[in-house]
Amino acid sequence: MRTILITGPGGSGRTTIAAATALTAAREGTRTLLLSADRTDTPGAALGSATGPAAREAAPNLSTWRPDAADRFRTDLTAFQSRAANVLDLLGASRLDAEEVTPLPGAEELSFLRALRDAALSERYDLLVVDLPPLPQALALLGLPEELRRYLRRLLPPERQAARALRPVLGRLAGVPMPADWLYETAARWDVELAAVEAVLADRATAVRLVAEPGPAGADAVRTAGLALALRGLRTEALIANRTLPESGPDSWPAGLLAQQRKTLAEWQEQPYGIHPVAHLGRDPRGDDDLAALAVPSVNPSPAPVGWPVTDRLAEDGVLVWHIPLPGAIRDELDLIRRGDELVITAGPFRRIVALPSALRRCTVAGAGLREGELRIRFAPDPDLWPVPGR
């Protein structure tokens, strides 16, 4: 299955573009699911067919799904209380009824990620179009699975489970109960679920479409988003320049706005991905005919994967070079910190901790440089760790 993640600044029309993208694919004969994180039924208003907490058909080859985060949170919490019944009883805790549960901060995001995973693993569809939240929330959401898995591994390392037989003894010695098996089992289950979401996001068939209005605010948002997505290893497939004014239109279009859009569109032509202007209809698009009139581009069936390759320069320069594409990065806003087998990469306001490829774990960082939107980190073999031929 191909997965297209669609996001953009608030008010950019990203949900309408997501609906138009899904409808275009469906009309081309592709079995498509539109998954929306929108709290209100904006995708249903655009399609002219209501969306809801269960997948439903909106048009031939097109289904829609807008998960109910509150309901899913209630279900998860009820199941958690059942699994942790012994511990809760030991603590004298009073269980919560489903009717009194309201989602906690972050629950909505986790619920949507699980829905994304379930949709991507479904065999009923060939294309998944994901209507993500506005850019700031979307960027945080896309980084959540990796960050949570890292926290779980640090706080509840899997290797501790090997000491399960010692817990009763340790509990008596310490005078306090040791963590119960259910805690590690819960952590392991979460890790599996988060890993499945990570696999969807990292799949070569997953790409991002950005939606923005051409103008100063849209240009700033696109610049920031491009850097953040690249740092996450996500490929930006296209930029949809939404609500583009026609070159020759009604006299009511302000001349200053036309000039502003033309200037931004010219600047966007320098981006390393396709730019697709979508015309302003002069009204909010509603229904199949309006969505078809937007003429959004079809989804590329053969995407180009994103790679962070390591090139061997040992013979020429005595180093291995790790190439990390970071379009829009500024040299003075880059920072690198080596921590064991991980590298902490900071690019502007964004940070990511990534595991080093196996060959680079036996090396030391010998320097780095930014060239043509690509961070190139040089690694020199550590003589104490690097295999020497003949030994």
Side-chain angles (χ1 to χ4, degrees), residues 6 33 36 75 78 97 108-109 138 147 150 225 241 320 340 386:
I6 297 182
L33 174 64
S36 179
T75 302
T78 300
D97 295 327
E108 188 171 356
E109 288 80 0
E147 297 297 334
R150 185 172 181 276
L320 299 172
W386 196 261

Side-chain angles (χ1 to χ4, degrees), residues 156-168:
L156 294 170
E159 56 268 20
R160 282 194 190 175
Q161 298 180 53
R164 182 175 299 169
L166 296 177
R167 286 195 198 120

Side-chain angles (χ1 to χ4, degrees), residues 45 124 133 137 149 158 192 206 255 258-259 269 292 320 346 390:
R124 296 179 55 191
Q137 296 94 314
R149 290 191 72 203
V192 169
T206 297
L258 281 167
Q269 295 304 320
L320 299 172
T346 301

Side-chain angles (χ1 to χ4, degrees), residues 236-263:
T236 301
E237 179 195 60
L239 169 59
I240 308 299
N242 198 22
R243 304 187 184 120
T244 299
L245 303 180
E247 290 291 331
S248 58
D251 294 336
S252 58
W253 295 127
L257 181 58
L258 281 167
Q260 182 176 273
Q261 286 201 352
R262 291 170 187 165
K263 180 177 183 294

Side-chain angles (χ1 to χ4, degrees), residues 98-121:
E99 293 75 15
E100 61 181 314
V101 173
T102 56
L104 297 173
E108 188 171 356
E109 288 80 0
L110 288 171
S111 175
F112 187 74
L113 286 173
R114 292 181 62 189
L116 190 157
R117 175 207 62 189
D118 294 345
L121 295 178

